[in-house]
Amino acid sequence: MSDPIEQVRKRLTEVGGRTAQDLGLGRIVGQILVHLYLTPTEASLEDIAKDLGLSKAAVSIAARQLESLGLLRRSWKSGDRKTYYRTADDIASALHQGLLMLVRNKMGMLATELQQAEAELSPKEAGAEAAFMLSRVKRARKLRDTAMSVLENPVVKLLTRVK
Amino acid sequence: MSDPIEQVRKRLTEVGGRTAQDLGLGRIVGQILVHLYLTPTEASLEDIAKDLGLSKAAVSIAARQLESLGLLRRSWKSGDRKTYYRTADDIASALHQGLLMLVRNKMGMLATELQQAEAELSPKEAGAEAAFMLSRVKRARKLRDTAMSVLENPVVKLLTRVK
DNA sequence: ATAAGCGTTTACAAAATTATTAACGCACAA
DNA sequence: TTGTGCGTTAATAATTTTGTAAACGCTTAT
């Protein structure tokens, strides 16, 4: 297995692991996705576990995550009890959608917190301290709104289409 | 200190901590930044540590990170040996630049890996396996290039300016 | 010169995350 | 039924990450 092809696959698989970890998705998720992306045939849970040197359990959990993100497809073969996995066909858009959703969620949380803070400061407190905090919160909200509007901007959405 | 103002500050500080952690910057970094952002006066290392219930050491390290990101400013008062901190004036653009830089770095790494893989597969290996991998790598590279071009697009840059 | 205060570093401890092993449950086959 | 193979789950082990306490070195004041 010191095949040059295997070497490339292994290296890219590691890259996938690191990348996924950066996104808070767990290293294994990325490893599996890249491994399957670079594999022409479908692979069973055990295949994947063996290829990546991981336990079936870990692969099972990660594969589930990947499927829920729309990045993996399960399939079955008649007369074979195993589940087989392959990457989704529209993997690019799934990736795009997934990341967008992730950011949107975070941004939503942020908006909620900032609005609540603003509401609690606005009417009641009148001291200089409160006035200062209110101005800061308002500025933060404007910043967030701008960032969000960029993501949702039709021009940007157009640009993100892969030809 | 069950002051409603303090409550708001504390809650937003926690939000900052979580957000920073999501970005892989460490919780404390976010806590400090928000805490100072919501504070009109400058604060010393010890002030910050006490307010947030952290050790001076932890604050020292995080503050350094924040300064290197251009998000914090140090200052000194004559006849006082302490270092004082306040958020940078252009905090919005610093944040923007910093995040952009982070993404750019990741994207750069990715590009390097993909190009290298492509080079190693292109000329030599001729099997069906290699051909498949090559096509996948090329597609991945195209995806990356598109994502990157969006970030660097002049229209997008314009949109991200906070009024 | 000596002492005292401050920020930083380092070595350690605590806590959270991650992955594994082993047990379980379910489906199909004999 | 009973046995076999598969995927999942739950408990444990290992690793990594995170934060602290204590020691250090530098600077300034006495």
Side-chain angles (χ1 to χ4, degrees):
Chain A
M1 280 292 177
S2 67
D3 201 342
I5 292 184
E6 287 311 316
Q7 283 184 16
V8 171
R9 197 205 310 276
K10 188 170 182 182
R11 207 147 31 78
L12 291 180
T13 298
E14 281 167 8
V15 172
R18 267 177 277 151
T19 305
Q21 208 160 34
D22 290 340
L23 293 172
L25 290 175
R27 161 173 73 97
I28 297 180
V29 164
Q31 290 180 217
I32 294 176
L33 185 63
V34 172
H35 179 69
L36 290 180
Y37 181 73
L38 296 178
T39 300
T41 65
E42 296 187 328
S44 72
L45 202 68
E46 201 174 7
D47 291 338
I48 299 171
K50 205 174 59 170
D51 287 340
L52 298 179
L54 295 169
S55 69
K56 275 198 309 172
V59 173
S60 172
I61 291 168
R64 199 201 249 277
Q65 259 189 86
L66 281 168
E67 204 199 356
S68 81
L69 289 171
L71 292 170
L72 235 56
R73 303 271 300 172
R74 299 167 118 97
S75 65
W76 295 270
K77 303 182 177 180
S78 57
D80 186 342
R81 275 190 270 167
K82 293 181 187 173
T83 307
Y84 289 86
Y85 296 92
R86 67 166 187 281
T87 53
D89 306 316
D90 55 350
I91 193 175
S93 86
L95 220 50
H96 182 219
Q97 299 283 340
L99 291 184
L100 204 60
M101 180 67 72
L102 218 125
V103 174
R104 252 198 285 256
N105 285 345
K106 292 289 172 204
M107 289 300 224
M109 302 279 180
L110 237 178
T112 304
E113 294 284 358
L114 289 173
Q115 283 168 15
Q116 190 173 340
E118 203 173 321
E120 280 171 31
L121 288 172
S122 249
K124 313 182 169 192
E125 316 297 330
E129 181 89 10
F132 177 83
M133 277 190 57
L134 185 56
S135 73
R136 286 287 161 115
V137 170
K138 279 184 175 168
R139 229 172 99 200
R141 201 160 72 88
K142 194 168 289 179
L143 179 58
R144 191 224 74 109
D145 289 346
T146 301
M148 201 57 208
S149 75
V150 172
L151 282 185
E152 304 293 2
N153 189 287
V155 175
V156 174
K157 288 196 188 264
L158 253 177
L159 288 173
T160 54
R161 298 214 174 274
V162 181
K163 306 101 191 171
Chain B
M1 279 293 178
S2 68
D3 199 342
I5 291 184
E6 288 311 318
Q7 283 185 16
V8 170
R9 198 205 308 275
K10 188 171 183 181
R11 209 146 32 79
L12 291 180
T13 297
E14 281 168 6
V15 172
R18 267 177 278 150
T19 305
Q21 208 161 33
D22 289 340
L23 294 172
L25 290 175
R27 159 173 74 97
I28 298 180
V29 163
Q31 289 180 217
I32 294 177
L33 185 63
V34 172
H35 179 70
L36 290 181
Y37 181 73
L38 296 178
T39 301
T41 65
E42 297 186 335
S44 73
L45 203 67
E46 201 173 10
D47 291 338
I48 299 171
K50 205 175 57 172
D51 287 340
L52 297 179
L54 295 169
S55 69
K56 274 198 308 172
V59 174
S60 172
I61 292 170
R64 196 202 252 275
Q65 259 189 86
L66 281 168
E67 204 199 357
S68 80
L69 288 172
L71 293 170
L72 234 59
R73 302 270 302 173
R74 299 169 118 95
S75 64
W76 293 269
K77 302 182 178 181
S78 55
D80 187 342
R81 275 190 271 167
K82 293 181 188 172
T83 306
Y84 288 87
Y85 296 92
R86 68 165 188 282
T87 54
D89 306 316
D90 55 350
I91 194 174
S93 86
L95 218 52
H96 183 218
Q97 298 284 340
L99 291 184
L100 206 59
M101 179 67 72
L102 218 125
V103 174
R104 254 199 284 257
N105 285 345
K106 292 288 173 205
M107 289 300 224
M109 302 279 180
L110 237 179
T112 303
E113 295 282 358
L114 288 174
Q115 282 167 15
Q116 190 173 342
E118 204 173 320
E120 280 172 29
L121 289 172
S122 249
K124 311 183 172 195
E125 316 297 327
E129 182 90 10
F132 177 82
M133 278 191 56
L134 186 56
S135 73
R136 286 287 160 114
V137 170
K138 279 184 174 166
R139 228 172 100 198
R141 200 160 72 87
K142 193 169 289 177
L143 180 58
R144 192 224 74 111
D145 289 346
T146 300
M148 201 57 209
S149 75
V150 172
L151 283 185
E152 304 296 1
N153 189 286
V155 175
V156 174
K157 289 200 188 259
L158 253 176
L159 289 173
T160 54
R161 299 214 173 276
V162 181
K163 308 97 192 173

